[in-house]
Amino acid sequence: MSIESELKKDGITVIGKLDTLSINTMSRDIADKLCKAFPEQNFIFQNLFISLSRIPMYIADIPDGFAEATYFYKNSSMYFKRGLSLDELEKFAVHEFIHYLQEIKDKRGNLVRLGLCDFGDLKVCGMGLNEGAVQLMASKANGTNEEIVKYYGISLPTNSPSYYPILCNLVKQMAYITGDQVLYDSTFYGSNTFKETFSNLCGVNSFLKIQANLDKIMEIEEKAIKLNNRLMSDDCEGMKAHKIAKKIDDCKAKIKNLFFEAQNLIYTSYFNNQFAKLSTTADIDAYRVRLYNYKNYIGISDTYSDFNDFYINKMMDLDNKYESIMNNTNLVVVNTSKIASFFRKIHAILGASVELRK
């Protein structure tokens, strides 16, 4: 199948090439944004600008509801929706430029990995995780502020209110656990560090389940968009329209269930695993803060109380753990250097000799 045929299969019709001035301006600005947003990556501005400016870029007709820009890895080219201003092109291009930077191909030019996504012989895994991570990073580069939005009956904080907000929120919850830098490194370079770090903290089965849920959310969202485009078409009315509307509602309900299932698994697997490792009162204090701050990341609905219930139960468990540590000195881990410092001060004040026993 030709490239043109494959694009048309996705509803993309090429109109013409993007002009050179727009390409160079956009490549320069985005190279600058990426260098400033991710200084730890040690990008060299000039090299990044040259690399981005050499990507073939086209203006195209793209169906409503889909991304205003798309990177097509089979011909390493980028396509932008007709009618966008240069500022809009630049905003949407950041996501696609990151895709270009993260792709890994074999000697025959076949894509084998795209950041956090594996292109296996039989199955593609991690596409939802990768898209969420890339958009999270694109929003950071664009300087987009976080806001509360509502999708599918879920109110959630996101810095990507109109593009993959559900996926971005869940990936940000995962990054709260692993640290942002681990996520950024693996997303740019396709390493397994993020997967391994999250799996070590939460369990490999939890990671695989969450990854699968993100893939399903992305798949169902794309299905809902296509159904909505059919619903909006001129020939869709009466019983046909009713059936399509019902399918869209079913998609929304599935996405909502998948979101809360993934969210609950993220925080329960992490905080349950970490609870078992608490051995000092300092550990407990740090755990309390960590758990309390997690509330700033979660999505909620009118009927959702899972996190509040978990939080209350864990606080009671922490109180019991605290009492257990205080009542059993064998469980209290004390910094011996602080003890030595204390006795040195006593020695200086009293002029006495104190023998420290190990």
Side-chain angles (χ1 to χ4, degrees):
M1 184 181 293
S2 68
I3 296 296
E4 185 178 351
S5 299
E6 291 202 40
L7 288 169
K8 284 187 175 180
K9 189 174 68 173
D10 292 332
I12 300 173
T13 303
V14 178
I15 296 172
K17 289 186 176 181
L18 185 64
D19 65 275
T20 303
L21 178 59
S22 294
I23 290 174
N24 288 338
T25 301
M26 186 163 52
S27 299
R28 181 196 66 221
D29 291 347
I30 293 176
D32 184 58
K33 285 182 178 182
L34 292 176
C35 288
K36 289 178 178 177
F38 306 101
E40 299 85 358
Q41 303 304 323
N42 297 314
F43 290 129
I44 299 174
F45 170 80
Q46 190 64 24
N47 293 346
L48 193 56
F49 163 68
I50 292 172
S51 180
L52 298 179
S53 65
R54 289 176 176 172
I55 304 172
M57 302 183 198
Y58 301 89
I59 300 296
D61 283 327
I62 299 176
D64 291 337
F66 287 88
E68 282 77 2
T70 184
Y71 177 70
F72 198 64
Y73 70 89
K74 290 189 177 180
N75 64 347
S76 299
S77 298
M78 206 167 293
Y79 300 88
F80 298 97
K81 191 170 185 176
R82 187 214 299 254
L84 297 177
S85 67
L86 184 58
D87 286 343
E88 290 172 320
L89 285 174
E90 188 174 301
K91 181 179 72 172
F92 295 120
V94 177
H95 183 108
E96 307 309 321
F97 276 23
I98 294 175
H99 276 326
Y100 167 76
L101 295 172
Q102 65 176 185
E103 70 175 6
I104 299 173
K105 293 182 178 180
D106 61 21
K107 293 180 179 179
R108 293 178 294 177
N110 298 315
L111 188 65
V112 295
R113 191 170 179 90
L114 193 67
L116 302 171
C117 177
D118 284 315
F119 285 75
D121 294 332
L122 301 176
K123 188 178 180 181
V124 177
C125 296
M127 182 65 80
L129 175 61
N130 189 61
E131 287 297 332
V134 169
Q135 183 53 30
L136 203 61
M137 293 161 64
S139 296
K140 176 179 172 63
N142 282 320
T144 309
N145 294 325
E146 184 176 273
E147 58 183 277
I148 304 295
V149 298
K150 190 169 185 177
Y151 284 95
Y152 316 118
I154 309 167
S155 295
L156 50 84
T158 180
N159 60 352
S160 181
S162 57
Y163 196 28
Y164 291 139
I166 298 289
L167 296 178
C168 286
N169 174 271
L170 289 173
V171 173
K172 194 166 185 177
Q173 291 188 46
M174 297 175 77
Y176 177 78
I177 291 168
T178 63
D180 290 337
Q181 198 55 49
V182 174
L183 176 68
Y184 299 158
D185 290 346
S186 290
T187 303
F188 270 124
Y189 302 114
S191 73
N192 286 322
T193 308
F194 176 76
K195 175 182 178 180
E196 291 169 355
T197 302
F198 189 89
S199 296
N200 287 336
L201 292 169
C202 303
V204 65
N205 289 334
S206 294
F207 174 82
L208 294 174
K209 178 62 177 174
I210 293 162
Q211 178 182 251
N213 274 30
L214 290 170
D215 282 344
K216 289 175 185 176
I217 288 172
M218 183 175 175
E219 179 184 331
I220 296 171
E221 280 195 304
E222 291 180 353
K223 180 181 178 181
I225 290 170
K226 291 178 180 178
L227 287 170
N228 190 66
N229 287 341
R230 285 174 58 190
L231 186 62
M232 295 296 104
S233 63
D234 295 335
D235 64 339
C236 186
E237 54 186 20
M239 186 57 68
K240 182 179 179 181
H242 178 75
K243 288 182 179 180
I244 292 177
K246 175 64 168 61
K247 289 181 180 179
I248 293 173
D249 288 340
D250 290 343
C251 287
K252 291 179 178 180
K254 288 178 183 178
I255 291 171
K256 184 177 181 179
N257 289 336
L258 287 166
F259 173 86
F260 283 123
E261 186 178 272
Q263 174 173 276
N264 289 353
L265 188 53
I266 292 170
Y267 69 74
T268 57
S269 60
Y270 173 67
F271 286 107
N272 284 338
N273 283 350
Q274 298 309 303
F275 183 84
K277 301 175 184 178
L278 300 177
S279 60
T280 71
T281 55
D283 291 341
I284 291 176
D285 290 339
Y287 182 101
R288 281 188 205 276
V289 173
R290 194 97 170 119
L291 179 58
Y292 177 78
N293 287 338
Y294 197 86
K295 68 178 175 39
N296 298 318
Y297 293 79
I298 66 168
I300 60 173
S301 71
D302 294 338
T303 59
Y304 179 80
S305 63
D306 296 29
F307 181 76
N308 285 341
D309 295 341
F310 180 84
Y311 180 86
I312 292 169
N313 289 331
K314 268 292 173 280
M315 285 299 157
M316 291 190 293
D317 291 342
L318 287 173
D319 287 342
N320 292 334
K321 188 87 159 180
Y322 191 93
E323 289 296 323
S324 176
I325 290 175
M326 294 303 293
N327 292 330
N328 185 350
T329 55
N330 290 330
L331 295 177
V332 182
V333 179
V334 182
N335 191 326
T336 56
S337 64
K338 291 183 178 179
I339 296 177
S341 176
F342 170 77
F343 279 107
R344 280 196 296 270
K345 291 178 181 178
I346 295 296
H347 174 77
I349 294 171
L350 301 179
S353 175
V354 180
E355 181 181 0
L356 299 181
R357 291 182 181 152
K358 295 183 180 179

